[in-house]
Each structure stands twice: as C-alpha cells, then as structure tokens.
Amino acid sequence: MADHSPEDNRLALKVVFYGPALSGKTTNLMQLHSLLNPQRKGELMVLETRDDRTLFFDMLPIGLKGDSGLDLRLKLYTVPGQVQHDSTRKAVLSRADAVVFVADSQTSQQDNNATAFGNLEENLEKVGLDIDTLPMAVQFNKRDLPGVVDEAELQQRWANTPWSPLQMAAALHGKGVIETFRVLLDRLYTEVDREFALETGHGIDRDTFIRQLSAASEEIRA
C-alpha cells in the first residue's frame, strides 16, 4: 500500500523482489543500481550473511518529481529466499505495491520455484494482498547457464496467467534486468494512476513514469 502524504506532496511506493534462494534477486537490484540513472537514486543497502545470501533485505531508493511538485519515490527491496526466513519475507512484503518474482531457469530448480511462488501467494494473503491483482512481473533468470528450461515451454506454462509473457534474464550480465523492471513499472502505473491521478493531477503520464524511473545511463547520455 502506497505511503501518501498530501501535506508534503509525497508518494512512496514499495517494490519487492521475491523468489527462491539464490535465484538472483540481489543481483537484479545490484544491476539496477549500476545501470539505471533516474532523476534521483539513493545508495544501495545490502545486508548479507557470510555465505553471501540476503539475511534481512536489500534496499535501493529511486525517484522523480512531478509537474505539481509531487515527490514520487520507489523503494526496491529484496527478501531472503531461504526457508528459515519466512517471517522476514512476510514482514518485507507488508504494504508492498508491486512484486518482481525472480525464478531460476535451471531444470533442477523448478520445484524450488513452485514452492517459492506458493509461499509468495500465502504470505501476500497473510498481509492482506491479492496475488491476482497486485502488479507483478515474473522473471526467469540464469538463462546463460546450461540445463535451463526452454523459453517456449516456460511461456506456454504461464500463458494463461496475469503475468504472461514472462521476462527472460541473465542478471549477472545485466541482460533482461531493466526490461523486467520496465514491465513491472508499466503494470504498477495502472494501479497508482487510478488511485492517485498521476497524469491528470501531477503531470506524470505512463511514458514519463516508466522512462524516468528506468532510464539507463547510456540513454541519459544519448
């Protein structure tokens, strides 16, 4: 749920990267921090355990200003994928405005993907959110590795879901990361504009919202 302060003309949105352990959630966030050049970008905060896994969450703040002076901020979070950190995942999901589900493309990881997706649905329900209406993008990461499920097969499996088409990525190399984020922003804009009149009230249309929050460094230079 968006944090809106009319007195301060401020709107904060929360995006959560969710998925099984080691699927590439933090890698996505690190690549976004490196590749993006929005109007405003804060420092990336990464909290890791000794084995380089997320312990609590990672967070990256980005933002833009509307014509009305609206201070619009997105805070991007990851959650730990390990089973024992379920309470943390639920806490980070609370009041989320959108989710990026990062799945592992390797054939050997499909059961883990299914378990994590089921866990996402359960935890969203526990915090009062509906997986069928919450803006979400689904990314299948690690396409650069051998032994991955064929893209056509994955797309067919998910064809009748609200999250089709799936996004393919090799996040370690930065491929598909910004594209996934833009799909998420497009779906998020629909809901936020409906509630807060971004276009008519603040001069932020869909294209501006997506373009300014996902502008890559080379696009800014161009």
Side-chain angles (χ1 to χ4, degrees):
M1 298 173 64
D3 181 7
H4 184 221
S5 175
E7 298 82 8
D8 300 324
N9 203 16
R10 180 176 56 82
L11 178 62
L13 305 171
K14 183 178 186 180
V15 175
V16 178
F17 285 70
Y18 206 97
L22 300 176
S23 64
K25 300 177 294 297
T26 295
T27 304
N28 265 269
L29 212 61
M30 293 176 72
Q31 289 287 5
L32 286 173
H33 181 259
S34 174
L35 295 171
L36 293 186
N37 192 2
Q39 280 189 2
R40 290 178 301 152
K41 179 173 65 175
E43 292 300 313
L44 172 63
M45 180 173 64
V46 177
L47 302 176
E48 294 180 337
T49 59
R50 292 178 183 175
D51 58 356
D52 293 331
R53 295 190 181 190
T54 302
L55 176 62
F56 184 54
F57 62 81
D58 312 314
M59 193 270 282
L60 170 65
I62 61 176
L64 62 83
K65 282 275 191 179
D67 292 345
S68 68
L70 176 69
D71 181 6
L72 191 152
R73 304 179 184 184
L74 262 70
K75 292 185 177 181
L76 314 181
Y77 292 83
T78 66
V79 296
Q82 304 94 297
V83 174
Q84 66 268 30
H85 294 308
D86 189 54
S87 60
T88 299
R89 285 195 295 277
K90 186 168 61 177
V92 176
L93 266 182
S94 178
R95 301 182 64 83
D97 297 289
V99 168
V100 177
F101 184 81
V102 181
D104 191 321
S105 291
Q106 296 175 96
T107 302
S108 61
Q109 297 301 311
Q110 297 314 295
D111 286 347
N112 288 336
N113 289 336
T115 298
F117 196 83
N119 177 257
L120 169 62
E121 184 173 15
E122 291 173 5
N123 279 338
L124 284 173
E125 184 176 357
K126 289 176 182 178
V127 298
L129 298 171
D130 184 353
I131 196 170
D132 291 322
T133 58
L134 185 73
M136 184 165 74
V138 175
Q139 177 197 93
F140 271 79
N141 189 27
K142 303 189 179 181
R143 301 304 297 174
D144 54 316
L145 297 183
V148 298
V149 181
D150 183 71
E151 179 180 351
E153 181 180 343
L154 291 171
Q155 297 287 9
Q156 184 176 13
R157 288 181 188 173
W158 290 73
N160 295 321
T161 72
W163 314 291
S164 178
L166 305 173
Q167 306 306 304
M168 300 292 125
L172 195 61
H173 306 291
K175 296 180 179 178
V177 173
I178 292 180
E179 292 81 357
T180 299
F181 187 52
R182 286 173 175 162
V183 167
L184 188 279
L185 289 175
D186 183 50
R187 295 172 181 173
L188 174 59
Y189 181 85
T190 300
E191 298 303 317
V192 179
D193 182 53
R194 179 182 295 124
E195 185 172 357
F196 299 104
L198 291 186
E199 182 169 10
T200 59
H202 303 285
I204 304 174
D205 62 17
R206 184 181 300 271
D207 178 69
T208 299
F209 182 80
I210 297 171
R211 178 170 43 82
Q212 293 198 10
L213 288 174
S214 67
S217 298
E218 62 271 16
E219 293 172 350
I220 293 294
R221 289 195 296 269

